[in-house]
Amino acid sequence: MQVLVNSGKHVASSMALKDDIRSRVQSKLQRYEDHLTRIELHLSDENALKNGPQDKRCKVEARMKGRDPLTVSHDAAELQQAIDGAVNKLTHALERNLGKDAKRWAH
């Protein structure tokens, strides 16, 4: 499973941050690895240089083998919260989409 991290021009992201995000996403989605080809995260700051509540967004697209892609997003005050929220939403969407098979992989 390939994990790609893309950030908008108003999001400060280092290679270390992107590596950390990739590692955490791979760990969190490890049980679905056989069904996923690629996970793509898009990080953005919706209000650019202005401060505002819930202005950090993480959009995640999961490419699955033999199925349509799944896309989720989460907005939060902090980038890390947006990432965690989006990955949690993706986990729930994968469980719903893959049905009972997902429960077997968890054991």
Side-chain angles (χ1 to χ4, degrees), residues 80-96:
Q80 202 58 54
Q81 293 170 336
I83 294 165
D84 291 342
V87 172
N88 286 336
K89 284 182 181 180
L90 179 60
T91 301
H92 294 300
L94 287 168
E95 285 184 24
R96 282 192 312 272

Side-chain angles (χ1 to χ4, degrees), residues 30-63:
Q30 181 178 351
R31 66 182 168 186
Y32 305 107
E33 191 170 25
D34 291 342
H35 299 274
L36 299 169
T37 59
R38 184 174 74 214
I39 303 293
E40 211 166 322
L41 291 89
H42 300 275
L43 311 175
S44 60
D45 185 336
E46 296 303 299
N47 291 337
L49 301 175
K50 296 178 274 182
N51 285 332
Q54 309 290 321
D55 68 337
K56 307 296 187 275
R57 174 173 290 162
C58 178
K59 180 179 169 186
V60 182
E61 182 179 344
R63 296 287 180 153

